[in-house]
Amino acid sequence: DGYVTSEGERMQLDERDATGRLRRIIRWPGSRLPVTTDDIDQQGRALLGSAGTGLQRAKLDSVWRDIRKADSLPAVIGLMPDAGALAWVRRGVHVADVEAEWWVIARDGTWLGSLMLPATASPLDITSDWIVLRTVDENRVERVEVRRLRR
């Protein structure tokens, strides 16, 4: 039938037909979250922590300092289809956030509600009663969780 896209820049979904032609634009109120000093610091530490040697670390540090940092986070960073709705939309989050907000958008483009999920969660499947998530804990251990949905 078609698909849904988002560029992440605005609170917006573009619904397209199977050929890619735009059917409609769905927008909702809200704004992008500002990037904080903590976001930049944590991203920098994560990047430097991935370096294997002191020389690599020094090069990465030099590159990181020269990169222009964004002033805001993407509005949308994830989409998941739902047979009972049009899509679940994940809002951008700060690096330190432990939860992420997901919005549920109906087939007619209206907002059905929102749900807070662990920031490390990735939905694997959504039914009318359950959401199956892949989560990763602080030790990088992956788990699968099943959570009941109340619509």
Side-chain angles (χ1 to χ4, degrees):
D1 282 342
Y3 56 96
V4 178
T5 63
S6 175
E7 294 179 7
E9 298 298 313
R10 293 181 286 275
M11 306 294 191
Q12 173 178 313
L13 294 179
D14 297 339
E15 187 176 7
R16 300 180 178 278
D17 67 18
T19 67
R21 187 179 7 217
L22 184 65
R23 278 189 194 149
R24 67 180 165 157
I25 296 173
I26 302 165
R27 291 188 178 111
W28 57 93
S31 59
R32 294 167 54 150
L33 297 173
V35 170
T36 65
T37 303
D38 192 45
D39 290 325
I40 294 170
D41 290 346
Q42 286 195 36
Q43 288 176 335
R45 282 193 301 272
L47 176 68
L48 295 178
S50 68
T53 66
L55 181 58
Q56 288 174 336
R57 185 178 175 89
K59 286 181 180 179
L60 283 173
D61 184 50
S62 174
V63 169
W64 179 249
R65 278 187 271 115
D66 291 340
I67 292 175
R68 184 177 168 274
K69 311 304 186 286
D71 60 355
S72 63
L73 299 166
V76 174
I77 62 169
L79 290 173
M80 181 73 185
D82 177 353
L86 178 64
W88 286 48
V89 181
R90 183 179 177 187
R91 180 183 183 142
V93 295
H94 294 287
V95 175
D97 289 349
V98 295
E99 290 189 311
E101 185 174 18
W102 285 79
W103 300 303
V104 185
I105 309 297
R107 291 200 179 282
D108 66 2
T110 59
W111 181 81
L112 291 176
S114 64
L115 179 68
M116 297 302 288
L117 295 173
T120 62
S122 300
L124 300 173
D125 191 27
I126 300 170
T127 72
S128 60
D129 297 315
W130 307 96
I131 181 168
V132 181
L133 303 171
R134 177 189 151 272
T135 61
V136 181
D137 69 17
E138 65 278 356
N139 297 316
R140 297 185 180 162
V141 175
E142 295 185 20
R143 291 186 171 76
V144 174
E145 296 181 19
V146 178
R147 294 186 180 206
R148 185 163 188 76
L149 295 177
R150 291 176 183 86
R151 294 185 189 237

